[in-house]
């Protein structure tokens, strides 16, 4: 690995620069911006570290459960890789703007690979106005007392999307707690029929300007019926008209049905994400 100027741990004195970087790309940075707005820059409160490269933060990366490179060229990615490789790996994936993720993966693959899967092209999409389709009026926030009915759908979605059951290998309690937190914060939505979830989605990250929709799932028996389109419209409408945010999401390029549904709702492509699953 070439020797380059190192990445440094960002601290509270860097907060204004950090916010400037986040504000320059509010959709792509939503996941990190939501954390920083709530907790600040200090690692203990943030639940991870922010790394910077260059005196004016020409490169920035979040290191936590996921490694999220937000900006920077080849030198910055080499610096972030050098810092990441000098410690035990704690992240389960690399995710973020495709250019940065794929450059960073090139730098760490020899030691961290092989990946379970590299999703190199994930359209990043936004909606900032009323959905083009009628939102499903039966999609509503999930109540905490409905956790046990909601959880199987959440597990099924995660397993289908990531390829790993989050309730195995001792992860059940932690995943249940994360789902409960989404419900408590009013960011988990579902349509129930006869006590069973037939559609679900969550607002995974919520910054002051953008909300990122995640975990969209339709019961296998109800797919290709329009539930996913109308349900996603309901969550997006809650973000746009209810919370005054831009609705965003990213989707696998090979998921043609989902992309078509999101375009029907009114989402438009504004960039590219990539995800490396470890």
């Amino acid at each position: 690995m070439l020797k380059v100027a190192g990445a440094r741990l960002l601290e509270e004195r860097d907060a204004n620069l950090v916010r400037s970087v986040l504000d320059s790309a509010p959709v792509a940075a939503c996941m990190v911006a939501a954390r920083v707005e709530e907790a600040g820059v200090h690692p203990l409160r943030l639940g991870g570290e922010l790394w910077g490269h260059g005196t004016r933060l020409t490169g920035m990366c979040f290191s936590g459960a996921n490694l999220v490179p937000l900006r920077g060229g080849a030198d910055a990615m080499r610096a972030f890789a050098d810092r990441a490789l000098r410690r035990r790996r704690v992240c389960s994936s690399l995710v973020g703007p495709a250019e940065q993720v794929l450059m960073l993966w090139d730098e760490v693959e020899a030691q961290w690979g092989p990946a379970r899967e590299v999703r190199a092209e994930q359209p990043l999409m936004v909606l900032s106005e009323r959905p083009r389709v009628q939102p499903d009026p039966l999609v509503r926030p999930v109540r905490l007392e409905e956790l046990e009915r909601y959880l199987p759908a959440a597990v099924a979605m995660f397993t289908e999307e990531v390829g790993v059951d989050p309730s195995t290998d001792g992860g059940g309690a932690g995943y249940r707690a994360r789902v409960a937190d989404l419900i408590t914060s009013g960011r988990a939505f579902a349509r129930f029929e006869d006590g069973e979830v037939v559609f679900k989605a969550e607002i995974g990250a919520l910054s002051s300007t953008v909300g990122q929709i995640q975990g969209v799932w339709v019961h296998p028996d109800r797919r290709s019926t329009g539930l996913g389109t109308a349900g996603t419209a309901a969550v997006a409408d809650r973000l746009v008209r209810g919370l005054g945010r831009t609705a965003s999401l990213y989707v696998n390029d090979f998921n043609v049905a989902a992309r078509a549904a999101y375009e029907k709702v009114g989402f438009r492509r504004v960039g590219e994400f990539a995800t490396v699953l470890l």
Side-chain angles (χ1 to χ4, degrees):
M1 185 178 295
L2 294 176
K3 287 292 184 181
V4 295
R8 65 183 179 90
L9 177 66
L10 299 178
E11 301 174 328
E12 289 296 343
R13 66 172 182 265
D14 302 299
N16 288 338
L17 269 177
V18 168
R19 292 188 180 95
S20 178
V21 171
L22 298 175
D23 290 346
S24 71
V27 176
C30 176
M31 289 183 287
V32 177
R35 288 174 173 264
V36 170
E37 288 174 9
E38 180 180 356
V41 176
H42 194 283
L44 290 179
R45 296 192 299 272
L46 188 61
E49 295 182 348
L50 278 172
W51 301 340
H53 183 263
T55 57
R56 301 300 298 174
L57 291 193
T58 51
M60 195 167 83
C61 181
F62 173 78
S63 174
N66 301 304
L67 194 60
V68 187
L70 289 173
R71 73 187 306 186
D75 285 351
M77 295 308 115
R78 282 194 292 271
F80 296 147
D82 181 64
R83 189 176 183 100
L85 292 173
R86 283 190 277 112
R87 58 181 66 192
R88 181 179 62 86
R89 177 173 69 82
V90 296
C91 64
S92 60
S93 71
L94 284 70
V95 61
E99 180 182 6
Q100 282 71 33
V101 165
L102 297 177
M103 280 196 295
L104 183 54
W105 177 239
D106 281 344
E107 298 291 336
V108 302
E109 181 179 10
Q111 293 190 46
W112 284 3
R116 286 195 296 111
E117 187 176 356
V118 177
R119 299 176 179 178
E121 185 178 351
Q122 297 175 304
L124 179 65
M125 310 180 77
V126 300
L127 178 70
S128 55
E129 56 197 24
R130 181 194 296 263
R132 293 177 186 168
V133 301
Q134 181 64 35
D136 186 342
L138 297 182
V139 170
R140 59 169 177 79
V142 180
R143 297 186 289 269
L144 188 57
E145 59 266 27
E146 296 171 319
L147 172 61
E148 299 307 327
R149 286 190 283 162
Y150 182 80
L151 193 59
V155 170
M157 177 282 305
F158 191 99
T159 304
E160 290 178 23
E161 176 64 21
V162 180
V164 176
D165 185 336
S167 62
T168 59
D169 296 328
Y175 186 71
R176 186 180 188 278
R178 287 195 292 275
V179 172
D181 182 63
L182 286 168
I183 293 174
T184 301
S185 61
R187 293 191 283 134
F189 299 83
R191 172 172 171 157
F192 290 87
E193 291 183 1
D194 298 323
E196 185 177 27
V197 174
V198 295
F199 167 85
K200 67 162 287 293
E202 295 141 6
I203 300 171
L206 185 66
S207 75
S208 59
T209 58
V210 180
Q212 187 177 88
I213 299 172
Q214 68 174 28
V216 178
W217 181 86
V218 178
H219 192 285
D221 293 343
R222 301 297 302 278
R223 292 174 185 173
S224 300
T225 63
L227 273 180
T229 301
T232 302
V235 180
D237 193 51
R238 176 66 66 98
L239 274 168
V240 173
R241 295 202 298 157
L243 298 176
R245 264 69 161 194
T246 294
S248 77
L249 53 81
Y250 60 98
V251 58
N252 294 317
D253 65 314
F254 54 79
N255 194 339
V256 177
R259 290 173 60 186
Y262 299 148
E263 289 169 1
K264 186 174 182 180
V265 171
F267 281 90
R268 58 186 176 85
R269 186 172 182 163
V270 295
E272 203 80 46
F273 261 29
T275 301
V276 178
L277 298 173
L278 301 174

